Amino acid sequence: MRIERLFRFPVKGLPAEELTRAAVSAEGGVAGDRAVALGNGSTPVADGQWQSCGSFTALKNDTSLQQWQVVSAPPFITVTAPAATGAAPFTFDSSDAGERSAAADYMAAHIPAQGGHARTLVAASHGMFDSRLSGISLINPRTVEALSKAAGVTLDPLRYRGNILLDGVPAFGEFELIGKVLRIGETRIAITKSIERCPATSVNPATTQVDVNGPRLLASHFGHLHCGVYGTVLAGGTLQAGDEIRIDSEDRRALALAPAKRTPRYLEVIERRQLDGDAVEISLRDPHGWIAAHDEAGTHLRVHLPDPLWRNYTITAVHRDVISIAVRTAGTVSQKMAGLRAGDKLLASGPHGTMTARRVLHGRTALLTAGIGITPALGLLRGAGQAPELNELRLFHVERGPGGELFTRAGALARGLGLPARISHVDSRAGRPTAAQLAQAIESCDSVVICGPAGFTQLALETCELAGIAPQHVHRETFASPAADLGELLQQYAPARIFFSSGAAGFTWRPQDGTLLESLEARGLTPNSSCRAGSCGECALTLRRGSVGYPLDPSARVAENQILACMAAPAEDLELQL
């Protein structure tokens, strides 16, 4: 492993300059990197201290920034506005407040404001990095090659705006560096987390045009939004292109610096056990312990294969740093999963999802499951103690043959709750379940959870509707991953106006803007989001007026007055509450 290329970004949001060597400082980064940042006018910004990237002019909100030119010899920086402006270059001393003020005027004259506050060019002693504690970023060109293959176009690693390009690391292998300390000569860098990508990665650094939807490319093909890793410099020194990078096995400080995240990291397979029929149970060790830190009964693990393929699997058990999932060996991803052996490494993220015991088990609850759909029920039941409002449970399960091991386990958990429990099993060899059977299972229920294949799910949903159970009390788990052609599906929607109940300025949505979430982010707004694939519910927004459509049906369920922004497109003019 070695340094392939080195870069710095003297002005936050503007293009990079390539270096052959660079000094780095402890608790800082590459000398002169992100030395200054221009306020975007949305909020006041203070000089001399780190602030959130949402306060600054950024490429994700203004793609014309890629047309600027920047060269530097710290502390001096020369910026040149886009050629079309005809502006002459402007050189300033970034360490001098007066010269920063003059530079701010120059830049603000060519970069539109996003609010009414004064535009200032501010500096911080350790640079205006996106992450407060992480002063250096590493990008793996092999990962970018994998993204290029999925996108069908050649992507320049520079669009991911890293300081170091790595050589000798397989695609997505950089995620295995999390929690480790890298030694490069005298320099030591603790790798603390992966980097979640924003719409800035949609801009081609060579042509300055938006040619690929960066976040959607990652989310649809790979099931996550991460490319590259952040590092915290523990000991400074000098980096040079071509330098060898070694993992320092004697230093464990990176683990202490790495915050518990749901982001992609490598888990180790410690056991694979055959269950009934074509199901296997896989136990995985999380070396960081992040699963346990975020564990909540009913959530799922997302696995990411390099093909690219990805899928969600309910977490059926958690014991300290070891988790278990059950996999039915049908489908491309699951067949690959079933072929794993002890000692194999698996890229995974999570736990994800909002269909948790605390949220869906209350009052009289029915769990309607079919086939491998028993695993979400098993995941919920392992934490039914987190649902104090649960007072009666009904488990209705359909599978081919007698009740298997997973159903037996779920039944035992249900009976062990000390609550009234009704356990039913239908052998599908004698025929599929009828609407009457399902109606009996859900009679007078306060909450219904549906887990199973499409036909079973549709029948159960129709039965709930006929029984008068409100949609917000019907929860379902689906198993399909989103398709990769969401952009084409969005073309069926017409432009629409988006308004905000707060009175903030609205905008016109167009199909090329992507999903509603992507269009909001592109305009500097930061609604909550996680999976960006319709399965977790984190991006739910309150809809005050209008309606939306879903080009791909999301699996997460939200209240009647809410929408899932990550999968939604406006069907008419909308008013949103953010």
Side-chain angles (χ1 to χ4, degrees), residues 368-371 396-400 424-441 450-453 455-460 462-463:
L368 309 181
T369 67
F396 180 93
H397 180 60
V398 181
E399 67 179 301
R400 185 174 179 80
S424 305
H425 177 273
V426 175
D427 185 344
S428 59
R429 293 178 301 183
R432 296 181 179 179
T434 65
Q437 289 175 303
L438 289 173
Q440 185 179 18
I450 306 169
C451 312
F456 174 82
T457 297
Q458 186 59 41
L459 176 61
E462 292 170 357
T463 304

Side-chain angles (χ1 to χ4, degrees), residues 49-270:
Q49 65 186 54
W50 182 91
Q51 288 151 95
S52 167
C53 60
S55 302
F56 299 114
T57 298
L59 185 59
K60 68 179 181 180
N61 300 324
D62 187 347
T63 59
S64 71
L65 298 182
Q66 193 61 49
Q67 299 174 22
W68 284 65
Q69 296 179 36
V70 185
V71 293
S72 71
F76 296 98
I77 301 173
T78 299
V79 291
T80 306
T85 67
F90 187 93
T91 301
F92 64 100
D93 181 345
S94 64
S95 66
D96 183 279
E99 295 201 21
R100 287 200 302 272
S101 178
D105 292 340
Y106 172 86
M107 295 180 67
H110 304 290
I111 300 174
Q114 293 173 244
H117 293 277
R119 311 288 295 285
T120 56
L121 195 67
V122 299
S125 59
H126 62 287
M128 286 294 184
F129 315 115
D130 282 353
S131 177
R132 184 193 297 268
L133 297 178
S134 299
I136 197 162
S137 57
L138 298 83
I139 301 298
N140 181 3
R142 306 296 86 73
T143 296
V144 179
E145 288 173 5
L147 301 183
S148 298
K149 183 177 179 181
V153 298
T154 300
L155 304 178
D156 187 333
L158 263 181
R159 74 170 64 214
Y160 298 96
R161 303 178 67 78
N163 298 117
I164 296 175
L165 298 189
L166 297 169
D167 184 42
V169 181
F172 300 105
E174 64 271 28
F175 296 147
E176 197 163 7
L177 300 177
I178 296 170
K180 295 181 172 63
V181 172
L182 305 185
R183 181 183 288 275
I184 312 171
E186 297 179 354
T187 304
R188 292 184 11 260
I189 302 171
I191 305 303
T192 58
K193 57 185 175 180
S194 58
I195 305 174
E196 183 172 325
R197 309 317 313 202
C198 71
T201 58
S202 303
V203 183
N204 186 321
T207 67
T208 73
Q209 300 300 307
V210 174
D211 56 3
V212 169
N213 187 315
R216 189 190 301 155
L217 169 66
L218 280 161
S220 59
H221 288 277
F222 297 91
H224 62 78
L225 286 173
H226 297 257
C227 179
V229 291
Y230 275 132
T232 296
V233 181
L234 303 178
T238 300
L239 304 180
Q240 186 165 313
D243 278 354
E244 181 185 6
I245 303 173
R246 295 183 291 111
I247 296 175
D248 191 340
S249 59
E250 302 301 318
D251 198 323
R252 305 294 290 169
R253 278 186 287 174
L255 284 175
L257 291 171
K261 293 282 189 177
R262 294 182 170 89
T263 51
R265 69 275 192 190
Y266 280 90
L267 310 185
E268 181 185 358
V269 178
I270 61 172

